[in-house]
Amino acid sequence: MQTSATPPAAAPKTYRVKSFGCQMNVYDGDRMAELLAEQGIAPAPEGQDADLVVLNTCHIREKAAEKVYSDIGRLRREDGSSPLIAVAGCVAQAEGDEIMARAPAVKMVVGPQAYHRLPEMIRAASSGQRVTDTDMPAETKFDALPRRKRSGPTAFLTVQEGCDKFCTYCVVPYTRGAEVSRPHAALIDEALRLVDAGAREITLLGQNVNAWTGENAKGHTVGLDGLVRELAAIPDLARIRYTTSHPNDMTQGLIDAHGEVDKLMPFLHLPVQAGNDRVLKAMNRSHTTASYLEILDRVRAVRPDIALSGDFIVGFPGETDAEFEDTLKLVDAVGYAQCFSFKYSPRPGTPAATMGDQVPVSVMDERLQRLQSALNRDQYAFNTATVGKVCDVLVERKGKHPGQWLGKSPWLQSVHFTGEAEVGQLVRFEITSAGPNSLGAVPLAAEVA
């Protein structure tokens, strides 16, 4: 931990955590909020300034660092003062020293593996110190975090962090560290607490979530499929999901679980990134288009109604027009239900950032538009094919209109309906209409077990 002196500030009484990017950041943001609450710091009321603001950053998106500085500037109050500001997450890990140099208003910089030390950092910052902690300690932060006490109908549970794959475009191995699996017993305990607090659906999270491995209560080494099967035995847990997966870790046991575990939802997010083998090799992806499609075939063989999702990067250095056309062919072959697509942007310190033959932005823009058009087409087609199906919807919250409710289908589609309901109910519906991004439905029965 590094410190420097600044004028002292009053100890914060209220906080606000603003998380950007991936679902793991949402999980981390929730855990930081729980940690602050344990210290007697309350969430700031809506519309009121907070004494402490934590910007929980993501380094995946383009110009991530510059957006952090914009957010810091917006926190300045009319009288010229600022709240106690902490920058957390992956941008903090990668660029902590520069943040401290460029943004005097920032009093704390804390990496994603060190946020369990926020309380002592806040005490130091309140006494007039500026504090940086981007260590990746050997002891796990999860052991130092408070036990889960609150949950909504859906909850995230981080089971694995870090990455050993070293894709040439990605900063995760440098900001999150090596692959680490949380202990099996700790995950079962946290899941039980989330369910006791009201969670009906748990999404297991990891940079490479299907690389998780651990020793169960019988002393046997199990993979993610073994963890899923044990979680499915929790009576009041109705649904299980997981993200994000890597093709290299998609075991047959996990594939079989999709056909054998009813609580494991028929949805698989399996990023491919590109549809051309030369580009995949340059990205240091360990799969080919053929091996990727073969995995999808095996999943569909055990769960024919599976909804498939993925990630794509267009304009990777050296990608030709013909190689991009291969990506469009792959999209046509798969028929994704959902997808995320991005223009390549260099990340400092990654091998791809120094590669020659960088693709012009105008070319990337045109390719991204064509790719997104194809993906939107397929998402709408998948939604349309759902019309007439009967399925259970997990009610998550009220909608914008009187009497309207919103929930999720088994295939992770947003579903809206009007009628009597309660948050956390599983209600049987017939899907009656489909749009590009959501479904309409009418209820058929009361809550199911």
Side-chain angles (χ1 to χ4, degrees):
M1 187 182 298
Q2 304 171 20
T3 63
S4 61
T6 65
K13 296 181 179 179
T14 61
Y15 74 85
R16 181 167 289 114
V17 178
K18 185 176 181 180
S19 292
F20 304 84
C22 69
Q23 292 163 316
M24 291 189 72
N25 258 24
V26 175
Y27 174 90
D28 287 346
D30 288 345
R31 300 312 315 269
M32 282 188 269
E34 293 166 1
L35 188 63
L36 295 172
E38 287 278 316
Q39 304 300 309
I41 308 174
E46 192 67 32
Q48 294 186 22
D49 289 339
D51 300 327
L52 166 68
V53 175
V54 181
L55 300 175
N56 188 26
T57 62
C58 175
H59 213 309
I60 299 301
R61 302 295 187 265
E62 188 177 6
K63 298 180 180 178
E66 293 306 315
K67 292 177 181 177
V68 172
Y69 295 116
S70 295
D71 281 316
I72 293 169
R74 282 193 287 269
L75 291 173
R76 191 175 183 86
R77 299 167 180 146
E78 290 185 3
D79 63 3
S81 66
S82 295
L84 201 63
I85 300 174
V87 178
C90 291
V91 175
Q93 184 71 37
E95 305 186 33
D97 290 341
E98 184 175 355
I99 291 170
M100 280 297 203
R102 285 184 57 181
V106 174
K107 305 305 180 187
M108 292 166 282
V109 167
V110 56
Q113 303 305 332
Y115 65 74
H116 58 292
R117 294 202 281 256
L118 260 177
E120 60 190 273
M121 296 178 71
I122 292 169
R123 287 191 289 272
S126 298
S127 68
Q129 299 178 62
R130 300 183 75 205
V131 193
T132 299
D133 193 341
T134 52
D135 290 344
M136 292 190 181
E139 71 274 10
T140 172
K141 66 188 176 190
F142 297 101
D143 294 337
L145 294 172
R147 287 187 160 191
R148 309 301 297 272
K149 295 179 181 178
R150 59 195 179 105
S151 174
T154 64
F156 293 134
L157 174 55
T158 291
V159 304
Q160 178 274 341
E161 286 195 302
C163 183
D164 295 339
K165 302 299 189 287
F166 287 93
C167 297
T168 56
Y169 52 81
C170 186
V171 298
V172 166
Y174 312 103
T175 59
R176 290 273 183 172
E179 287 182 0
V180 176
S181 294
R182 291 183 63 193
H184 177 277
L187 296 174
I188 298 297
D189 179 70
E190 188 169 335
L192 287 168
R193 289 181 176 278
L194 287 169
V195 172
D196 286 345
R200 303 297 310 278
E201 173 182 295
I202 290 178
T203 300
L204 308 179
L205 301 180
Q207 263 83 35
N208 288 313
V209 67
N210 54 344
W212 181 88
T213 184
E215 186 176 287
N216 67 14
K218 296 180 179 179
H220 300 150
T221 298
V222 295
L224 188 67
D225 57 300
L227 179 62
V228 165
R229 292 175 189 276
E230 290 210 36
L231 292 174
I234 299 175
D236 291 330
L237 179 61
R239 291 178 164 187
I240 302 168
R241 303 184 189 274
Y242 64 90
T243 193
T244 290
S245 304
H246 193 287
N248 194 53
D249 298 311
M250 200 69 198
T251 65
Q252 188 59 47
L254 186 54
I255 291 172
D256 290 342
H258 276 280
E260 297 168 358
V261 181
D262 290 339
K263 291 184 179 182
L264 181 58
M265 292 295 96
F267 185 91
L268 174 61
H269 182 68
L270 192 65
V272 60
Q273 305 299 2
N276 175 270
D277 288 347
R278 189 206 65 80
V279 174
L280 289 173
K281 186 175 181 180
M283 290 178 166
N284 198 34
R285 300 289 287 179
S286 56
H287 57 85
T288 64
T289 52
S291 68
Y292 177 82
L293 290 171
E294 190 265 341
I295 292 170
L296 300 188
D297 286 343
R298 285 157 54 202
V299 176
R300 279 175 162 151
V302 302
R303 191 67 198 249
D305 68 334
I306 193 86
L308 297 172
S309 173
D311 292 347
F312 286 93
I313 295 172
V314 302
F316 186 80
E319 183 187 62
T320 66
D321 289 341
E323 289 168 341
F324 172 69
E325 292 294 335
D326 287 341
T327 292
L328 294 179
K329 292 175 184 176
L330 178 68
V331 168
D332 290 344
V334 173
Y336 289 99
Q338 298 180 19
C339 254
F340 301 96
S341 54
F342 311 94
K343 294 181 292 185
Y344 168 76
S345 59
R347 294 290 178 263
T350 60
T354 60
M355 289 181 179
D357 202 12
Q358 298 281 325
V359 176
V361 173
S362 60
V363 174
M364 287 196 283
D365 288 340
E366 188 270 340
R367 290 178 184 173
L368 185 63
Q369 290 178 17
R370 292 179 61 196
L371 175 61
Q372 289 180 337
S373 177
L375 294 172
N376 291 339
R377 172 203 66 200
D378 290 348
Q379 178 171 318
Y380 183 54
F382 186 88
N383 287 349
T384 300
T386 314
V387 174
K389 288 185 177 182
V390 173
C391 66
D392 297 329
V393 172
L394 177 60
V395 182
E396 295 185 3
R397 58 187 174 89
K398 290 184 177 181
K400 295 180 180 179
H401 306 294
Q404 186 185 60
W405 296 86
L406 300 177
K408 287 291 193 306
S409 77
W411 305 282
L412 203 62
Q413 299 149 303
S414 293
V415 179
H416 56 84
F417 65 95
T418 301
E420 296 295 324
E422 292 182 9
V423 170
Q425 280 186 322
L426 272 170
V427 183
R428 180 60 55 92
F429 280 88
E430 180 182 355
I431 305 301
T432 56
S433 63
N437 301 306
S438 65
L439 306 174
V442 293
L444 300 181
E447 182 180 4
V448 296

